[in-house]
Amino acid sequence: MGHDLDSALLRSFVATARVGAISRAAAALNRTQPAVSQHLKRLEEQLGTKLFLRTSAGVSLTPNGERAVLIAARILDLIDGLGASTDSGPGRTKMRIGLPEEFVGEKTLQALTDLALIHSSAVLEFITCPCAEFASSEGGRRFDFWVSDPRLHPDLTPLHEKAVELDWMTVRTEAFVGATIPILLWKQPCAWRNAVVQALEEASVAWRCGYEASQVAALQTAAREGLGVMIAPKGLRIPGLVSYRSPLLPAAPSVCMALYGRSDMAHVSDGIWRVVTRNL
């Protein structure tokens, strides 16, 4: 028999999963720590499975918890977007939303589907392109909202910002043969490329450029063919690729991404940012 899950339980679950500690989740939700702990206990009882492993350092998701948090976050986004979905306003609003190709993955496409559902009274256009294209003089004028690297927009004030963890991704789990590790790189200009090269050089890693491209599809194909290791947001699921762990590689760097957009439509920016970055 199904359960009518209280959204408060889901909020405590998702918040705890994101910050890795019940105390920090309680502070973020403006609740007491015992209240959040009780929410997690009730949710685990209703679902019939353990969602977290508890240690002295905090909590981490179990495999079932990792699967459940994706669904829970999506449910909350749709609940929070219910008001926007019923607010048709005068006529149909058209919004053009620009996303960097670096963000594109299976989970991103699902999030965009949810965003279109939430804003069903509007006509949404999603456009992806390399992050550097948003830095052009015409970049901002093409979109109502766009996600980009703040370093490309020093004169603009972002509506939202977030540190995005990156991960090494490849098709294989075994070590690469040879004295150097082949790295698949974005063509310049690219802030992500610069962060990767800096991390490799600071760790004194023996590496070489295994492939270079300006399109995400080309890099992903090269990774699937075993040409080397690429970088991607940790939360993305890219078909055919897995996280690559090697003692020869440093921890993947983090990058800052931000949402920019029209001030007269800032009232919808919170929902757009929450859904777009849900899995990052």
Side-chain angles (χ1 to χ4, degrees):
M1 181 180 295
H3 298 283
D4 292 328
L5 296 176
D6 185 345
S7 63
L9 308 187
L10 300 181
R11 292 189 193 281
S12 291
F13 172 42
V14 171
T16 302
R18 285 175 174 166
V19 300
I22 295 175
S23 58
R24 293 201 299 272
L29 295 170
N30 197 26
R31 291 183 178 272
T32 65
Q33 184 170 337
V36 173
S37 295
Q38 185 62 27
H39 284 175
L40 299 180
K41 180 180 179 182
R42 286 173 54 195
L43 186 59
E44 288 181 328
E45 289 175 350
Q46 290 188 25
L47 296 180
T49 186
K50 283 193 71 67
L51 300 173
F52 290 105
L53 297 175
R54 292 160 175 81
T55 68
S56 58
V59 296
S60 60
L61 289 167
T62 64
N64 283 342
E66 291 178 352
R67 289 186 286 270
V69 76
L70 299 177
I71 299 172
R74 189 180 187 195
I75 290 171
L76 291 176
D77 282 341
L78 294 174
I79 290 174
D80 292 340
L82 186 59
S85 70
T86 57
D87 181 18
S88 58
R92 289 171 65 81
T93 303
K94 181 176 181 179
M95 286 192 291
R96 292 169 60 87
I97 301 174
L99 296 170
E101 286 188 335
E102 296 92 325
F103 270 19
V104 176
E106 285 184 350
K107 296 178 183 177
T108 313
L109 298 178
Q110 183 186 72
L112 298 185
T113 300
D114 291 345
L115 195 59
L117 177 61
I118 290 169
H119 295 282
S120 58
S121 62
V123 178
L124 301 188
E125 292 185 11
F126 300 109
I127 301 171
T128 61
C129 58
C131 207
E133 288 192 21
F134 295 115
S136 67
S137 59
E138 298 182 359
R141 291 194 291 269
R142 291 178 57 197
F143 306 103
D144 296 299
F145 295 98
W146 72 97
V147 177
S148 186
D149 189 320
R151 287 171 290 188
L152 300 176
H153 309 279
D155 300 325
L156 297 180
T157 301
L159 299 170
H160 297 276
E161 284 186 90
K162 179 175 183 176
V164 177
E165 290 186 68
L166 302 180
D167 198 11
W168 304 108
M169 303 287 289
T170 187
V171 72
R172 56 202 289 173
T173 56
E174 69 273 14
F176 284 89
V177 177
T180 59
I181 298 178
I183 304 296
L184 313 179
L185 295 171
W186 292 88
K187 285 186 176 180
Q188 291 283 28
C190 177
W192 290 26
R193 174 189 177 122
N194 296 339
V196 168
V197 171
Q198 181 178 350
L200 293 170
E201 297 295 342
E202 289 180 351
S204 300
V205 173
W207 68 281
R208 60 182 174 83
C209 178
Y211 188 78
E212 183 182 68
S214 58
Q215 301 293 326
V216 68
L219 283 176
Q220 291 179 3
T221 299
R224 292 190 194 97
E225 292 299 322
L227 293 182
V229 184
M230 68 175 290
I231 206 81
K234 196 170 186 178
L236 289 189
R237 182 169 56 219
I238 301 174
L241 299 184
V242 296
S243 179
Y244 182 70
R245 295 287 179 267
S246 169
L248 301 179
L249 283 176
S254 295
V255 295
C256 185
M257 299 301 288
L259 179 71
Y260 299 89
R262 290 170 46 179
S263 58
D264 62 327
M265 297 179 69
H267 61 288
V268 301
S269 69
D270 289 353
I272 290 174
W273 182 245
R274 184 177 61 251
V275 173
V276 168
T277 61
R278 180 169 68 205
N279 300 306
L280 299 178

